[in-house]
Amino acid sequence: MFRTALRTVLAHKARLLMTVLAVMLGVAFVSGTLVFTDTLGNAFQNQSAKSYKDVAVGVTSYDNRDSGEADAGKASYGVSQETVGKIEGLDGVASVTGRVNGFAGVADPDGKLIGNGWVNTGSNFAPDKDGKDAPYTFTEGSGPTKDGEIALDKATAAKGKYTVGEPVRVATNGPVKEYTLTGVFTTDDGQVNAGGSLVLFDTAVAQKLYLEPGYYSDLTITAAAGASDSRILDQVKPLLPENAEAQTGARLASDQAAQIKKGLESLNQTLLAFAAIALFVGVFLISNTFTMLVAQRTRELALLRAVGASRRQVKRSVLAEAAVVGAIASTIGFVLGVGLAVALRSLMGLTGAKVPAGALVISPTAVGAAFGVGVLITLLAAWLPARRAAKIPPVAAMNSVHGVATTKSLVVRNSIGGALALLGSAGIVAGAAAGSDGRMLIGAGAFLTMVGIIVLIPLLSRPVIALVRPLMHRVFGVSGKLAGLNAVRNPRRTGATASALAIGLTLVTGLTVLGVTIGQAVDKSTTDNIKADYMVRMAGAGDLDKSAVTALEKAPGVSAVSPQQAASLEIKGDFHYASAVTPGDIEKVITVASVSGSMDTLAQGGIAVAEDTAKSNGWKVGDTVPVTFSDKKKGELKVGATYKGNEFLSPVLMSTELADAHEAKPFIPEVWVKMDGGASAANEQALVDSLGKNPAITVMDHQDIRNEFGGMINTLLNIMYGLLAMALVIAILGVVNTLAMSVFERQQEIGMLRAIGLDRRKVKRMIRLEAIVISLFGAVIGVGLGSFVAWAIGETIKDQIPGYALVIPWDRIGLFLVLAGVVGVLAALWPARSAAKLNMLTAIKTE
């Protein structure tokens, strides 16, 4: 029987090609994902181990300004030079290197920022007695030794076309300044290798820019020969301030490796989820293929039964065919997956992200997963057809193979499908009613509903397609009528083909409805709440210096300026986030809907409180509340106004003057600006000029602001569309497969139609229309279910998104339906051409 299975596979190579392609694509995605993440993780872990190779102990300090632990008159964080001196004197310590880090953006020759802001960093050059700083290897010049000098990493220098001795404009969170480039270096720094930039300053300059003179944010301690890292760690810990912690270099390398692994796991899981979707879609194609092969081999299988083959042997024969096909597809898919992993790694390099050098890692897990998944999915999909094949009675050998279309009762199947669909729908509705706690219930309900609808699709196909059949007849004549009849001739086959498209369109539609709805809510919120013409921000979400606010206030044409300065208050033991704003100007740049009292009281040292916060704390206008400021000083503040809260303001508002009295260094993430004449190119340029053409400061108009808040949603949607495209490709293969098999089975019928006058053009049209009908049927099911699930998920998040209201993007849904029709046309090209080329006399003689 195994030899019979092999011969059958070889005899039906063309028919099994689509199954091979479906499994191959899914396996390629799985194996490519595993090989890519294993390779990437191994490379970064090796780099991490290398960077900590000579580190005995590492010390890291953290900023305690936000926690209110900083003492007045002292550095908010960092390790002092005095402490460094004590550590240098410890037994077994060879050297101590202090680092200071912060934001530093380099301008290119056109004044634009090099890099994206998130990984534009500045640090200090800390040479040893030989004048070298171990992490940095200079390829040109040397490190900075005084104020006004910097060194750049090689990639940044190349992007800016800078050479040693040239002036370079560098921005920190203060005014932009020009420095002389003294050297260019290479480094194993992870952020630089990820495409960021690194600027090295003289140590004293870096301390003044980022911390305070004589303080370091991090320390690297090396050990003398024979010294124990753990013993040095035990000696270092008692010397450190409360806002600093120490770990051995081995522990730091291990922690960093764990962080890298954790970061890659989310990418791994996301890609594998989409691979699972693609393979799930492929199940329908595989099952369809084997069902049709079994139907076409009814006489052959019946003869095997007649000559003594048992049901178990027939079943094993079909499953053996599936195993062979799965093994072949898995082998090809695994090879493609390895190629995909190599391509992804190269692509990261082309996009500017530097991946550390390292060998390609092909783990046993990747190999086992690829072949296990490929073969198992194929066997599972072929199990039902194999079971049906085993039930073929020997007497069936007397019947015609192609003559009879199956019309077996679907009562049991439809009952099960209806029950699953109703149970799943109830779960979705219940999850939507439960709010944020109902998302798991919605997920389970969506899965059950999808399975139920897939089971019911053969039943649904007849009435749904019957609705459009009269229109097809009127518009396309006999070709349209025949296409409609053919589409429902074998409801199981039509259902399996439409199911693949339905799954893909359910996911695409659900994501689109949610994305568009959230995007419009964000857009409306931006439009309704922002009166300012511009928002000014630091690159990488850093904080602006107070001098930037002063510069904006002096810019020509400015009518109102208010920072959104972060602050906090402790009231009766509870911390409350506050925004320090400019009294009088805040209402001109942000919509502040006053409920009671007057916002003018901000200028008099009072506070304004969001309506919900006031109610929950029992405050009303005129109340005086005891507060503890971030510098631990206590006082009493009067509630002067309440207002309707919005996402652009904190629950408590105070004046910048009041906040500055208790903040050693104000944290200003953004500034809002209103200008005479509104937004214009001239006004924007005036703001840019007032800020000294700082490349690290972004001036954003209303459209930029909308893109800032809503652009991420569109980017995420585009990524999802790209990943789901593979599932849709497999669905297209399913349509091609179904039509090809249908044409093969109906050779005699098509020959007869040709003989009685249906020309080749009309035969092609008939096949194309059949494909379009099946594709649109699946698309309509997917669009309906996707919209239903999106509504339910929206109900669980609407309380967290102000102005949320479900939006059905009819234009995009219309596009999806058009694309589904195009899919049908493309899928029908080869089958339609094959049908039109049939020799009518040969076809009529075919049994």
Side-chain angles (χ1 to χ4, degrees), residues 267-344:
L267 172 65
N268 201 20
Q269 290 168 1
T270 301
L271 293 176
L272 287 176
F274 284 96
I277 292 168
L279 287 167
F280 184 53
V281 172
V283 165
F284 296 97
L285 189 156
I286 299 164
S287 181
N288 225 7
T289 301
F290 279 94
T291 297
M292 289 183 280
L293 286 175
V294 167
Q296 291 169 10
R297 291 164 51 209
T298 301
R299 179 174 291 181
E300 174 189 329
L301 295 172
L303 283 172
L304 287 173
R305 291 292 314 282
V307 297
S310 66
R311 287 187 174 187
R312 183 174 295 179
Q313 286 177 311
V314 171
K315 186 176 179 179
R316 284 178 180 173
S317 172
V318 177
L319 289 176
E321 292 175 38
V324 171
V325 171
I328 294 170
S330 297
T331 303
I332 300 171
F334 181 75
V335 173
L336 284 177
V338 173
L340 179 64
V342 173
L344 283 172

Side-chain angles (χ1 to χ4, degrees), residues 24 34 113 128 150 164 176 219 223 284 312 322 326 370 409 422 451 472 487 503 523 608 617 654 665 687 744 793 833:
M24 179 188 75
L34 293 174
L113 181 69
D128 56 20
I150 61 163
V164 172
V176 66
L219 301 179
F284 296 97
R312 183 174 295 179
S409 172
L422 283 173
V451 172
M472 293 171 64
I503 294 167
D523 189 67
N617 288 277
M654 65 171 71
K665 187 179 183 302
L687 296 182
F744 177 81
I793 294 173
R833 186 167 176 270

Side-chain angles (χ1 to χ4, degrees), residues 469-477:
R469 215 160 52 206
L471 178 64
M472 293 171 64
H473 188 193
R474 281 197 298 270
V475 177
F476 299 104

Side-chain angles (χ1 to χ4, degrees), residues 560-699:
V561 173
S562 178
Q564 178 83 300
Q565 184 174 320
S568 64
L569 296 171
E570 184 182 344
I571 305 174
K572 295 181 180 180
D574 294 326
F575 277 96
H576 293 269
Y577 289 105
S579 292
V581 298
T582 304
D585 281 4
I586 185 62
E587 300 100 317
K588 298 176 183 177
V589 295
I590 299 289
T591 299
V592 185
S594 181
V595 176
S596 60
S598 172
M599 298 296 293
D600 294 340
T601 54
L602 291 178
Q604 301 162 16
I607 58 173
V609 183
E611 184 181 21
D612 291 344
T613 302
K615 284 181 179 178
S616 63
N617 288 277
W619 301 335
K620 59 183 184 296
V621 172
D623 287 352
T624 300
V625 294
V627 302
T628 302
F629 295 97
S630 58
D631 60 358
K632 299 295 182 69
K633 292 182 179 179
K634 299 182 183 296
E636 291 187 343
L637 296 176
K638 184 178 180 181
V639 178
T642 61
Y643 60 92
K644 289 184 179 179
N646 68 60
E647 61 271 28
F648 294 97
L649 292 173
S650 296
V652 179
L653 299 181
M654 65 171 71
S655 69
T656 52
E657 183 180 357
L658 177 61
D660 289 346
H662 301 280
E663 294 283 351
K665 187 179 183 302
F667 185 86
I668 306 172
E670 59 208 24
V671 180
W672 301 95
V673 183
K674 184 77 173 175
M675 302 195 73
D676 297 331
S680 67
N683 279 342
E684 183 174 337
Q685 190 60 48
L687 296 182
V688 171
D689 292 342
S690 71
L691 294 165
K693 297 182 179 179
N694 191 321
I697 297 180
T698 306
V699 178

Side-chain angles (χ1 to χ4, degrees), residues 372-454:
V373 165
V375 175
L376 184 63
I377 288 292
T378 311
L379 286 173
L380 285 174
W383 184 79
L384 277 176
R387 188 167 173 269
R388 281 196 290 268
K391 290 183 177 181
I392 296 174
V395 73
M398 308 296 293
N399 298 330
S400 170
V401 178
H402 309 300
V404 183
T406 14
T407 54
K408 185 180 178 181
S409 172
L410 299 174
V411 173
V412 176
R413 174 182 178 136
N414 294 337
S415 300
I416 295 171
L420 289 174
L422 283 173
L423 184 62
S425 299
I428 293 173
V429 173
S436 58
D437 297 327
R439 289 169 196 163
M440 293 295 291
L441 189 57
I442 291 173
F447 178 75
L448 286 177
T449 305
M450 172 64 76
V451 172
I453 288 177
I454 288 169

Side-chain angles (χ1 to χ4, degrees), residues 48 61 114 144 210 217-218 355 358 390 408 411 421 451 490 528 542 558 674 718 726 734 742 773 809:
S48 174
S61 65
I114 297 175
Y210 300 126
S217 51
D218 303 296
V355 181
K408 185 180 178 181
V411 173
V451 172
N490 191 328
D528 291 348
V558 170
K674 184 77 173 175
N718 291 333
M726 187 175 66
S742 178
V773 166

